Amino acid sequence: MIMLTSVKILPKFMELGADDYLTKPFDDLELLKAIEIRLKKAELVQAQYGNDAAGAGAFLKDLSDKGIMQLDPVQYESEPFHKKAIIYAESRRPKYLYYIKSGKVKAFRVHENGKEYITNLYQPGDYMGHIPLIEGTNYEESAMVLEDAEIVMIPKDDFLNAIYNDLGIAAKFIALISKDVKEKESRLLNLAYDSLRKRVAKGLVDIHTRFAGNDKSLSISREDIAQYVGTATESLIRTLSDFKSEKLIEIKDGRIIITDIRKLSSLAY
C-alpha cells in the first residue's frame, strides 16, 4: 500500500500498515517509480524463498538486483578470520550483522563451571548475530571460527534500517529467528530425554548435513562434537568406537566419515 501524504501525518499512516509513501508535492514520475518498486516487492514476496539463511540471502540478493534495496552481502567487503578467532563475545554490544562467505563457525555459551555448550553451527550462506540486533540486547553467546573464514560485516544501522523499512526483509529474518528457536527447543528436548547414543547419532547427522566435505568426512574436533551433543569427550569417543564397530562410521587421519547415513539417521530419529 502506498500512501500519499504530508510529512506531519506520515507516522500515523506507517502505523496503519503503509509499506511506502510519497510526500506532497510529488510529480507523475515519482508516483510511477513508487508503483514500480511496490510491484517488484510484491513479486519478490510472492516468490518461494526458504525460511532459512539461504532463503534470506537469495531474497536480499534479488532485492539488490532489482534495485529495491541494497542489503545484499556482496555490496559489503568481507574480512578474513583465522581458525579460533573470536568474532563476537558474550555480553558485548552487537555492532554488525554477520554473513559467512566461506569457512565454518560455532556459537557457544560457557557454563559457570567452565564447560562450553555449542548452541549453533554456521556454514557459508548463513547469517549470524541478527537476534540481538533486533532485540537491542547484548550477545548471549560467543562465536568462534572453526575453519578459516571470510565474513561479511553489515553495519547495525544498515540492517535495522532495512528491516524497519521493508516488511519483506523483516519477514525473512523473523522466519530465521523462528527456525532458530525451533531448532534450539528441539535440541534441548534431545539433551534432556535422549540417550547418549541417540544424541551422538543426531549430532553426527546434523554436522554431516552442514559440514561434510567432498569426501564425506567431518572436519570438526571430537571436543566440539562433544560440546554440540552435550557430553564429555571421553563418552563421545566411546560412542564413536561403538558406531565404528557397527560400520556406521570410519575414522581416517582423525576425520570421521559416515559410511551409512541412512542407518545412522534411523538411530537419530
Side-chain angles (χ1 to χ4, degrees), residues 72-136:
D72 182 2
V74 301
Q75 304 294 327
Y76 298 85
E77 292 185 3
S78 59
E79 297 286 341
F81 285 81
H82 296 297
K83 185 176 180 178
K84 294 189 177 181
I86 296 293
I87 301 169
Y88 55 78
E90 188 174 348
S91 79
R92 300 295 295 273
R93 295 293 293 177
K95 295 181 180 179
Y96 299 99
L97 169 68
Y98 297 92
Y99 175 82
I100 302 178
K101 192 173 180 181
S102 66
K104 300 168 185 174
V105 175
K106 70 174 181 179
F108 65 94
R109 300 187 70 171
V110 180
H111 191 267
E112 59 186 16
N113 63 11
K115 292 183 178 180
E116 289 184 8
Y117 174 66
I118 294 179
T119 56
N120 217 331
L121 295 170
Y122 298 100
Q123 60 186 329
D126 283 346
Y127 289 90
M128 304 187 309
H130 46 283
I131 294 178
L133 285 176
I134 293 171
E135 292 181 341

Side-chain angles (χ1 to χ4, degrees), residues 46-66:
Q46 291 171 7
Q48 296 299 311
Y49 296 95
N51 290 331
D52 54 11
F59 178 70
L60 294 179
K61 184 178 186 305
D62 284 350
L63 281 175
S64 176
D65 290 346
K66 289 180 179 290

